[in-house]
Structures are given as structure tokens and as C-alpha cells.
Amino acid sequence: MKQKRSSSLKRIVGLSLAFLLAASLAACASNNGTNASSDQSAATDASSSESDTTTSDTSSGQPADNDPYGKYDPPINLSWGINTSAVQQFKDGDTYENNIWTRKYLEDLGINVTVAFTADGSTEAYRNQMNLALASGDLPDVFKTNDYVFIKQAYDAGYLADLSQVYKDYANDFMAMVQPKYPDSYDYATIDGKLIGIPQLQDNSQFGILLWIRDDWLANLGKEAPKTVDELVALARAFTFDDPDGNGVDDTFGLGINKNLVTSNYCTLLGFIGSFGVPGFDHSIYYRNDAGEMTFSYLEPGMKDALAVLQSMYAEGIIDREFSVKDTAMLEQDIGSGKLGMAFGMQWGTWLPWNLAFQNEQAIAHPYPIPTQEGYTARMGIQSNAFGDITMVNANYKNPEALVKLYNVYSDTVNPDMDDETYAIYDADEQYRFSPAVINEPQEPTYGPWLKEAQLKNDASDLPRNLITRFNTIKDFDAGSNTGSDAYGLWGQYSLGGSMPIINDFYVPNNMLIQSVVGGVQPDSLVKNSSVLEKITLQAFTEIIMGADIDNFDKYVQDWLAAGGQQVLEDLDKQYPAE
């Protein structure tokens, strides 16, 4: 039986398993962490002075009964290569060698975490350091990367420990639960049937695109949110020509689009083309179409029809004539200055960019599902879940189960049910970054159903501690007693009329989200040609919207295929065969 499960945790895990079986929507883990004593600091300093090498040679007897929290006595050393960041801020004299997490792991588990190296991840320093370690075979005991080329090379060289059995033997309740709940993530961390690391958990359903519209402009013109593309075009026309802000000046336009078109998080074409059955996403989506053929989303026939409508909107002046030179920063200025009232974007729109209109004018923007187009099934693209950091163990390390134990303690400490003191010590101000083991469920798709249920019942008693604060903030914003920008951000995501209920309750059950087949494992042809193919796409689409012959789309398709796209599709077809 797994250990260290509080009554609150049992309640939440029970709910999580029910959600997993029904809809794969929710889970969490909990247990309060405690701070370490000064005696632990001294012990850590003493041990660190003895061992700062890469692969440790200290081992101890195995704790009995595969105990997920069994403490090593005497302590064992575990070195890790640290990917540093400018946001990492030490507290109270802590260092990489001696901090809240090294003290906790030594006290709780008898694991003395030491530093193999530190290198800046915002530059090439960390990647270079890892490549040097790979070339020499002198890897730390524990290390992480999202570079799959590195991962595969390390595996082929025999440098990675197989964690399959130790994960089964030592994972606590939370770690055992997330493995089947996030199969794509764990498949990504598996080679030849061997679990070669612990992955970052991914659920990209949260990235479904929405249509954001200012409430006051709708009210001023007596309009409703559009349900069809024709209605969207009509609303964009009204927002451009009917003085929606009531200032008597011709200074507004209908639909915000930035020059990057399909390579940004907001004010792009992505939601619009989704109405025409084109599942676009930031940069690109590769998937199998209805005929079972490997395709690139922007080659699909609906793309041509969408561009034709956009071209007519541009000619009419209901798309900003200067869109081709406006980046996201300039669109933010337009939103903040009250020139724009509608655009497609991600579920965090009330955090950015619509918070800018709220801060300046107290203007509220609401999210809506993307409109429909006759003859098409609305679709949106999302990234593969098979990517992100994988934390691995050196094959020469004598206690590979130690990594699983670190994750056990981390997940018991940092979780939705942690108290304020635990949060302040172990999570706030980026303190979690000092742990070699970090695991969290994606917040929006996990928290969304819980907050919705609590709002429907008007009862937050079953929520984890940190969500009670969010629940109260949303209620206060609805009541008008909290008009802060952060409250607006949370309200736009998690209120009953927010973005996450649209995604969870409409997009997901109606199979509107199409996931790219391309994750961390990419063919060489895609890596080599992606920038050229993207440039061809942006240039062709910009020219067509601004008035080029719509049949230029057919030439674009041929140009894209000839520039390496055909090879990419063939390679992906082999790498991700049809089921």
C-alpha cells in the first residue's frame, strides 16, 4: 500500500480516478511539506564538500518493501546538471548546493543532492554542457532535456537507466495515477518499451482557439456574438463602420489580424480558418485528414475558401489595411487604445491582450466558440502531447529508484492542496526550480472542471486549498467587489462563461481539436525545411488577402511541396503510420 496519503488527498485522488475513467479531465495530489532545520543545512554542506562529481559512487542497502518514501541510511549522493534561469531567486542565503529542496530531500529520504554543473538555459550554454557530457560519457546522475536528438543518442550509447520497474515499484499514488492519465507524455519518454525518464505532463486541449469580443461594443450596437462566418463578417463590418465606441470618430476596425497570420498566440487567422475545417496552430499542424492521408493543415481545400473570404473583408476595409506590418505588440496597442473589439486567441485572453482594454477602460471581453461555415466541420489544431522535458537517470547510477522517490516527495509537497506556508517555502518565487524533480498537471484542463462544479453548486468546500482562493476571486469579480486585473484574468478563464468551459464542454466532447502528429520526435526533413516552408506560407497568404489572384493558392500548394514539403509528408507518413 502506498504511503503518506492525507484524507484530503484520498478525496481528491478518488475524484481524479473517476474523472479519468469518465472523461480524463482531473486529478491532483496532496500532502503538506515541512521546512528543514539548520542541522540539515550542516549535513548538506558536509556531504556536498565530499561529492560534487557527476556519477555518484555512494550506495546503501535497499529500503525494505519497495517503500516509496524509504530513507537511505547512510545517505546516498545524487548529482544533477542544473539548467539555470534568470528568474531563479535564492532566499535566506540558499545556494544551488544548499537550499530548501536539498535539505528536504536529505531529511526526508536520505538523498544528498549535489551539483554536477550549472549552465544557463536561455543561451546555448546548457545544451553545450550536456553535449560535452554526452560526448565524454560523463553524465550527471540525473539530468533533463527536451532535445530528443540528445535523448536518442544517449539511449543508443547505453547511458540511460531503464526506469520501467522502479517506477512501478516506487511510484506513490499521484505518480501511479498520472502515468495512464497522460499516455502521450509517457509514450514519448519510452523507447523500445523502456521508460527512459519521467516526462513533463502535457494536455494541449487547453490550446483550442476562441473568438474574443468586447461586450460594450456588442451592447452599443445591439448585436450578438456571431455563430456563423457570415455573422462574423457582418459584425466586423459593424465594428468598423458603425462607431461601436460612440466617439463619433472613424477610428475602429472589425477583426484584428497581425502580420504573422498563423504563427502567434492571438490576433491570427487560426480560429477563422478553423471554421473552414482547417486545424491550424502556431506555426504548423501535420495530421491525417479524413481520407487518411498525411497532410499539412494549410494545404487543405478549406484554406482557399477561408482566404477568399478574408480577401473580400480586406478589400471592404473591415480588416485593418495595415495588418501586414503589425506585430502582436502593435495589436496590443490597438486593443489597449480601444481601436479593436474582436480577435481570435487563446484561452488566457483576459490575461493578455484583453486585460489592456480592461485596465484602460474597464472594458470586458468575452470568449465565444469559433463560428461555423456551411459545408465544413469546425476544427482547431493543437500540439502533440509528446514533447517537453524528460528527466533521466545515468545508467551507471546505483539507485535509479531515488529519482522516483524525489518525485514522490515533490508531488506530496507542491500540489493544489498545499497550505500557504508550504507554498511560500517550496513553490513561490520560482523556488520549485531548485528541485531536480518537478511535476505538475497542466492547470487549465485540470482545474477547469473542479471550479465549474464548485460554481454550479456555489460551494467551494470540496476544492483544494489554492482553488478556493480562485473560486472566491471569480465570485468577487462577478459581484463587482474585486475589479483587479488579475481577478479579470481568472474570471475570463474559469467563470461559467469563461474560456475553459467552452473548451472542456464543447470543443473536447465534439472532437473539434485535431492534434498534430509531430512531437519531440521529428524527421530531419522537417527540421531542415520548416523555416523555408513557413516563409512560403506567410508570403502567399499575405499576398492573397491583400488582393492577389485567389488561384495563387494552388501555386502555393505546389511551391510548398517542391520546397521540401513533399519529403516532409512522406517522412511523417513513415514515422507515424496510419493505425
Side-chain angles (χ1 to χ4, degrees):
M1 182 175 179
K2 303 298 184 182
Q3 302 178 19
K4 282 200 177 181
R5 303 291 88 189
S6 67
S7 59
S8 175
L9 174 63
K10 290 176 181 176
R11 170 179 54 79
I12 295 171
V13 168
L15 287 172
S16 298
L17 294 175
F19 282 133
L20 174 61
L21 293 172
S24 295
L25 287 175
C28 75
S30 69
N31 202 326
N32 294 341
T34 56
N35 201 1
S37 67
S38 57
D39 289 341
Q40 292 168 249
S41 297
T44 303
D45 288 337
S47 296
S48 295
S49 65
E50 294 174 4
S51 175
D52 60 358
T53 58
T54 53
T55 303
S56 303
D57 58 3
T58 303
S59 183
S60 68
Q62 192 80 355
D65 300 325
N66 294 334
D67 184 354
Y69 303 94
K71 185 174 181 178
Y72 297 97
D73 185 17
I76 62 170
N77 292 328
L78 181 147
S79 68
W80 71 301
I82 304 177
N83 186 342
T84 64
S85 168
V87 300
Q88 292 171 313
Q89 300 294 325
F90 291 110
K91 293 183 177 181
D92 303 324
D94 280 357
T95 65
Y96 285 117
E97 293 79 10
N98 180 10
N99 57 67
I100 52 165
W101 285 106
T102 60
R103 294 190 292 271
K104 183 170 184 58
Y105 290 139
L106 184 61
E107 174 67 16
D108 291 2
L109 296 171
I111 298 176
N112 179 49
V113 177
T114 65
V115 178
F117 64 79
T118 62
D120 187 353
S122 65
T123 68
E124 289 296 307
Y126 183 78
R127 182 185 296 270
N128 292 340
Q129 184 67 51
M130 290 291 290
N131 285 334
L132 285 173
L134 178 65
S136 66
D138 191 21
L139 290 162
D141 296 332
V142 168
F143 49 93
K144 69 176 62 177
T145 183
N146 61 7
D147 182 351
Y148 198 82
V149 173
F150 174 98
I151 294 168
K152 189 61 167 61
Q153 289 176 342
Y155 173 79
D156 290 341
Y159 293 156
L160 304 183
D162 180 0
L163 303 182
S164 305
Q165 191 60 47
V166 296
Y167 194 100
K168 292 178 183 178
D169 290 344
Y170 289 91
N172 67 4
D173 292 338
F174 175 81
M175 295 299 294
M177 180 271 295
V178 296
Q179 187 173 19
K181 184 178 178 183
Y182 297 91
D184 294 344
S185 298
Y186 278 84
D187 287 348
Y188 171 55
T190 300
I191 302 177
D192 297 334
K194 301 174 182 177
L195 183 67
I196 52 85
I198 299 178
Q200 180 179 343
L201 304 179
Q202 304 282 358
D203 179 351
N204 287 312
S205 64
Q206 64 183 295
F207 294 117
I209 300 293
L210 302 115
L211 179 62
W212 292 87
I213 309 176
R214 280 180 60 146
D215 285 358
D216 58 336
W217 284 22
L218 286 175
N220 290 345
L221 299 180
K223 301 291 186 181
E224 294 183 352
K227 293 183 171 62
T228 68
V229 171
D230 286 345
E231 291 174 356
L232 181 146
V233 173
L235 184 61
R237 185 178 296 115
F239 277 4
T240 303
F241 300 123
D242 295 351
D243 193 23
D245 57 358
N247 68 355
V249 180
D250 183 13
D251 61 352
T252 62
F253 55 93
L255 181 66
I257 296 176
N258 74 58
K259 68 178 184 178
N260 295 312
L261 298 183
V262 293
T263 59
S264 181
N265 288 327
Y266 50 86
C267 297
T268 67
L269 304 182
L270 297 177
F272 189 90
I273 64 178
S275 301
F276 292 81
V278 179
F281 191 72
D282 186 0
H283 296 283
S284 62
I285 291 290
Y286 292 87
Y287 68 108
R288 290 193 178 276
N289 60 20
D290 292 340
E293 302 164 333
M294 185 65 68
T295 187
F296 175 63
S297 54
Y298 308 138
L299 305 183
E300 290 298 286
M303 189 73 222
K304 185 175 183 179
D305 291 343
L307 288 171
V309 176
L310 289 164
Q311 186 183 79
S312 67
M313 294 175 70
Y314 178 83
E316 190 178 349
I318 59 180
I319 290 175
D320 187 357
R321 293 295 184 89
E322 298 180 355
F323 85 86
S324 63
V325 296
K326 285 192 171 183
D327 57 16
T328 52
M330 298 175 73
L331 265 297
E332 289 170 6
Q333 292 177 11
D334 287 340
I335 290 172
S337 61
K339 294 181 179 180
L340 176 62
M342 178 169 60
F344 291 96
M346 295 291 186
Q347 48 88 1
W348 58 78
T350 44
W351 292 97
L352 187 73
W354 295 101
N355 64 318
L356 303 173
F358 179 76
Q359 290 167 354
N360 292 338
E361 305 177 60
Q362 290 291 290
I364 298 289
H366 248 102
Y368 299 91
I370 66 171
T372 60
Q373 173 68 12
E374 186 176 356
Y376 289 99
T377 300
R379 291 173 173 171
M380 285 149 290
I382 57 174
Q383 287 180 316
S384 168
N385 292 327
F387 77 99
D389 280 337
I390 300 176
T391 303
M392 293 154 282
V393 178
N394 190 322
N396 292 327
Y397 187 58
K398 297 178 182 179
N399 295 96
E401 76 286 345
L403 178 63
V404 182
K405 292 185 179 185
L406 296 183
Y407 275 99
N408 292 343
V409 170
Y410 181 90
S411 63
D412 280 348
T413 305
V414 175
N415 58 69
D417 220 25
M418 60 185 161
D419 59 31
D420 293 340
E421 180 183 4
T422 302
Y423 169 77
I425 295 171
Y426 293 101
D427 197 23
D429 301 318
E430 309 287 339
Q431 295 305 292
Y432 68 88
R433 292 179 178 272
F434 302 116
S435 170
V438 174
I439 193 162
N440 299 288
E441 291 195 81
Q443 284 194 18
E444 285 82 1
T446 303
Y447 295 172
W450 299 348
L451 284 164
K452 177 191 172 185
E453 181 182 4
Q455 289 175 80
L456 289 172
K457 296 189 302 184
N458 195 28
D459 181 1
S461 60
D462 286 336
L463 288 175
R465 286 180 58 92
N466 78 327
L467 294 195
I468 293 174
T469 300
R470 298 190 186 201
F471 172 86
N472 290 331
T473 299
I474 293 166
K475 281 192 64 177
D476 291 345
F477 188 87
D478 267 328
S481 58
N482 185 344
T483 57
S485 184
D486 287 354
Y488 176 53
L490 283 173
W491 173 86
Q493 286 180 298
Y494 294 118
S495 68
L496 294 179
S499 56
M500 288 313 302
I502 294 174
I503 292 172
N504 289 333
D505 301 336
F506 184 58
Y507 287 177
V508 172
N510 286 293
N511 300 314
M512 296 173 66
L513 304 177
I514 304 298
Q515 192 169 67
S516 177
V517 301
V518 181
V521 186
Q522 301 182 12
D524 292 341
S525 58
L526 179 57
V527 175
K528 175 182 177 182
N529 295 310
S530 59
S531 61
V532 172
L533 297 174
E534 182 176 294
K535 182 178 180 180
I536 292 172
T537 298
L538 293 177
Q539 181 175 342
F541 290 1
T542 301
E543 291 174 352
I544 291 173
I545 293 172
M546 296 178 70
D549 191 329
I550 190 63
D551 287 335
N552 281 5
F553 177 80
D554 302 321
K555 181 178 183 300
Y556 153 73
V557 172
Q558 297 306 315
D559 289 346
W560 188 92
L561 292 170
Q566 182 64 52
Q567 186 63 54
V568 171
L569 293 177
E570 291 175 3
D571 291 345
L572 288 173
D573 189 59
K574 296 175 183 176
Q575 187 165 321
Y576 299 97
E579 296 181 357

